[in-house]
Amino acid sequence: MLRSSYFMSAFSRRFCSVSSFTVKETLFKKPVNQKVVVQGWVQAVRKYKELFFVDLIDGTCLDRLQIVIDAHNVKPPNYGSSMKVQGSIVESSHAGQEIELIADSWETLGTCDEGYPFENHKKYSSEYIRQYPHLRPRTRRFSSILRIRNHASMAVHNFFQNEGFCFIHTPIITQNDCEGAGEVFTVEVKGKLADALLRTNAEVNTDNTRTDQSSNNDSELPISNVHDLAEKHFFGAPTFLTVSGQLHLESIACALTRVYNFGPTFRAEASRTRMHASEFQMIEAEIAFIEKVDELLKIVETCMKKVTDSIMENCSEEVKFIVKDIRDYDHYIKNFSSKPFVRMPYKDAISILQRNKESLKTPIEFGEDLATEHKQFIVKYCDNVPVFVSMFPSTIKPFYMKSDETDMACCFDLFASYGGEICGGSLREDNEEILKKKYSFEKHSDLSWYLDLRKYGTVPHGGFGIGFERLLQSILGISNIRDIIPFPRRKYDCKC
């Protein structure tokens, strides 16, 4: 029986039913004088006189719901444990909260061991938290980032859908090394089929056929063409995890005009810097019937600003919590979302860098790629407004990029604070003869289909790719890409 008059007044009324609410629903609906059931994890426990005050979270929002429990002959739930509570919602007299839940009954669903790596009200470095990728979603900061990721993902889709783009699932397994840098993960078969693929034809069968004897006989492999077994490749040729869906999007853009994808991308880079990850999400788009880079720049800029505005409007509490230690963040994000992105020819960027060479560790000459230091300087020079640098010469120019023209930019990169190089794009080479000169399709017959796009009704077209995590880094002022990705992967690091 509840002893305190505080509890007696709360339960003197009769209730018809008990509704189940999330923490977010409870705080939003404020069902005062109603009985509810709430479940979540214990974020903090405080004792005052004969009462326990428990902060409960369930990941649906940043805020916590205060649970009031009679402390008489009761052991409180410990920090990190999960619990189920039934009680009534009352108006709170405590500062900083409008309502609280007076517990009628409660139970611990899962106790939290003493070895739990996080303690209440203790601040941890990002490097420490990264050691526990399976537990860090329970921290307030990272759970906020995950909710922002969720909303930003939907905002990306909303933008492209509203602009008339068709969403395409491009393949993850491919024979293409779209970027041409060789930083790809190879797909290999393991297990029984791998053993069969490595045998010679004679070892497998003499009549060049093999049938499935029984669906219940796991030792038999239904393979129809023995000649493929000598290849050791499941698909008959080397295959990789995709580095970009661009080439496939080009194919579909030549039928549907405006298309995009949004999915995982893989790079086997040895770099372990704060800007690199082996698996990340890319937003890629291809548009037919465009002839100027400026048309691509407008779409990229509009997309990024729409996503930013949507995050600021719908995830304001999470953003405030994440950026609370960033100096002048309001000024920074206003520049990011409100000011027109700077458009700068490559030659002007080089000129700025050469005029300020005393501020740089590494000098640069015309024709060289911009290093990270140079990109950061250009953005800072422009008051941290994102900068498009056009006619950007690459050491290895992809074969699909349209040839440089003296009076028109054909490609661009976009640089921003925190995220660095966020986006790159170009007009694609639509001239069949020029494409043949730039790339040996006879040696790479697996890409003959790409040449077909230029043979059969080609059109001027172009596209771009936005690094989703790097975009979020720039919006939220987060310097390390691993603090944006739920389960980051890089060389020597693939936990969970």
Side-chain angles (χ1 to χ4, degrees):
M1 182 173 177
L2 298 174
R3 298 156 51 101
S4 170
S5 58
Y6 183 89
F7 283 83
M8 294 299 293
S9 62
F11 288 97
S12 60
R13 307 172 183 88
R14 294 183 178 180
F15 299 92
C16 297
S17 62
V18 179
S19 301
S20 180
F21 286 99
T22 65
V23 170
K24 182 177 182 178
E25 288 172 336
T26 305
L27 295 174
F28 177 76
K29 295 180 179 179
K30 302 178 182 61
V32 175
N33 297 332
Q34 291 186 34
K35 272 195 175 182
V36 299
V37 172
V38 181
Q39 302 179 86
W41 292 270
V42 175
Q43 187 75 8
V45 181
R46 302 173 301 279
K47 185 177 182 181
Y48 179 72
K49 296 182 179 179
E50 293 186 350
L51 299 173
F52 286 122
F53 295 90
V54 178
D55 289 341
L56 196 72
I57 61 171
D58 66 357
T60 56
C61 64
L62 177 66
D63 292 331
R64 297 165 283 192
L65 176 63
Q66 180 166 282
I67 312 296
V68 183
I69 299 174
D70 185 0
H72 183 68
N73 293 329
V74 172
K75 183 179 179 180
N78 63 326
Y79 173 70
S81 63
S82 59
M83 64 183 300
K84 180 178 181 179
V85 187
Q86 178 175 315
S88 61
I89 299 296
V90 300
E91 294 181 354
S92 177
S93 59
H94 300 89
Q97 60 190 28
E98 296 182 58
I99 60 171
E100 57 192 5
L101 191 155
I102 310 301
D104 185 6
S105 63
W106 62 276
E107 62 176 312
T108 298
L109 301 177
T111 59
C112 187
D113 189 82
E114 292 181 358
Y116 190 55
F118 305 120
E119 296 179 21
N120 188 30
H121 298 310
K122 186 173 181 180
K123 191 172 183 178
Y124 297 94
S125 68
S126 296
E127 191 63 40
Y128 175 83
I129 296 174
R130 287 188 216 116
Q131 298 178 69
Y132 307 96
H134 56 302
L135 297 176
R136 71 172 179 167
R138 301 188 191 185
T139 64
R140 295 189 77 199
R141 178 178 175 83
F142 201 68
S143 64
S144 295
I145 289 173
L146 292 179
R147 285 189 294 272
I148 292 173
R149 274 188 71 106
N150 168 71
H151 185 84
S153 298
M154 297 303 103
V156 167
H157 283 293
N158 288 338
F159 168 77
F160 282 103
Q161 292 296 315
N162 291 336
E163 293 294 318
F165 284 75
C166 184
F167 177 52
I168 304 298
H169 294 97
T170 51
I172 291 177
I173 298 175
T174 178
Q175 294 183 21
N176 306 326
D177 176 9
C178 182
E179 297 295 326
E183 297 169 335
V184 293
F185 289 102
T186 301
V187 176
E188 295 182 354
V189 177
K190 298 295 184 181
K192 296 176 182 178
L193 183 56
D195 295 337
L197 290 171
L198 292 173
R199 296 180 196 139
T200 63
N201 293 352
E203 290 175 327
V204 179
N205 208 322
T206 57
D207 63 357
N208 290 345
T209 60
R210 184 175 184 181
T211 58
D212 186 9
Q213 302 296 320
S214 171
S215 61
N216 296 321
N217 188 345
D218 293 337
S219 65
E220 295 293 328
L221 298 172
I223 302 172
S224 59
N225 190 344
V226 183
H227 294 291
D228 291 342
L229 298 178
E231 292 286 341
K232 90 171 183 179
H233 297 296
F234 182 86
F235 295 100
T239 50
F240 319 102
L241 297 182
T242 182
V243 298
S244 170
Q246 176 200 317
L247 303 188
H248 295 100
L249 283 179
E250 282 192 61
S251 172
I252 301 178
C254 289
L256 304 185
T257 302
R258 296 163 74 87
V259 297
Y260 77 104
N261 70 5
F262 185 7
T265 302
F266 306 87
R267 304 282 169 87
E269 293 180 303
S271 177
R272 286 169 54 85
T273 73
R274 66 179 182 85
M275 299 303 299
H276 290 89
S278 296
E279 179 182 351
F280 50 93
Q281 301 290 312
M282 283 286 289
I283 307 159
E284 298 179 285
E286 289 292 323
I287 307 100
F289 307 108
I290 65 169
E291 301 185 61
K292 295 182 179 180
V293 162
D294 190 58
E295 297 178 63
L296 295 176
L297 304 189
K298 291 177 182 177
I299 297 173
V300 171
E301 180 172 351
T302 305
C303 174
M304 291 175 56
K305 288 185 174 180
K306 289 285 188 181
V307 172
T308 303
D309 291 343
S310 186
I311 289 174
M312 294 300 148
E313 180 180 351
N314 296 281
C315 306
S316 58
E317 294 303 315
E318 281 87 352
V319 172
K320 288 178 184 177
F321 181 74
I322 291 170
V323 306
K324 59 185 178 182
D325 295 327
I326 299 178
R327 185 179 178 183
D328 297 329
Y329 176 80
D330 289 342
H331 173 74
Y332 163 74
I333 200 63
K334 184 177 181 180
N335 281 0
F336 191 96
S337 61
S338 300
K339 288 190 176 181
F341 288 2
V342 177
R343 285 157 168 73
M344 182 181 296
Y346 169 78
K347 61 182 180 63
D348 291 354
I350 296 298
S351 177
I352 291 171
L353 293 169
Q354 291 180 337
R355 290 200 308 268
N356 294 274
K357 58 184 179 181
E358 67 281 354
S359 302
L360 302 170
K361 294 181 181 179
T362 307
I364 187 169
E365 298 296 329
F366 187 88
E368 295 179 345
D369 281 344
L370 272 66
T372 299
E373 176 191 16
H374 305 137
K375 299 170 186 176
Q376 292 174 342
F377 185 89
I378 290 295
V379 174
K380 188 174 181 180
Y381 181 88
C382 296
D383 196 23
N384 290 319
V385 176
V387 181
F388 286 113
V389 176
S390 57
M391 294 186 72
F392 187 82
S394 179
T395 305
I396 304 176
K397 182 172 291 186
F399 68 87
Y400 53 76
M401 185 181 293
K402 197 173 184 67
S403 300
D404 286 338
E405 299 180 27
T406 57
D407 60 344
M408 184 176 70
C410 68
C411 54
F412 69 91
D413 282 329
L414 174 64
F415 309 135
S417 297
Y418 299 101
E421 184 180 328
I422 296 180
C423 177
S426 73
L427 299 178
R428 314 310 189 191
E429 183 56 74
D430 56 83
N431 186 295
E432 180 186 350
E433 296 306 316
I434 293 177
L435 197 57
K436 286 180 180 178
K437 292 178 182 178
K438 295 177 68 174
Y439 190 75
S440 177
F441 287 90
E442 286 137 1
K443 291 182 180 179
H444 302 276
S445 59
D446 55 308
L447 272 175
S448 60
W449 64 269
Y450 189 73
L451 196 60
D452 284 348
L453 301 179
R454 276 67 184 170
K455 290 181 180 179
Y456 309 127
T458 187
V459 296
H461 62 285
F464 58 83
I466 301 173
F468 181 61
E469 282 84 7
R470 289 191 175 185
L471 172 58
L472 291 181
Q473 282 183 263
S474 293
I475 294 173
L476 300 175
I478 294 177
S479 61
N480 197 309
I481 195 171
R482 286 174 291 150
D483 295 329
I484 287 288
I485 300 176
F487 295 97
R489 276 83 172 91
R490 60 175 182 164
K491 191 175 183 181
Y492 307 127
D493 187 1
C494 188
K495 293 180 179 179
C496 272

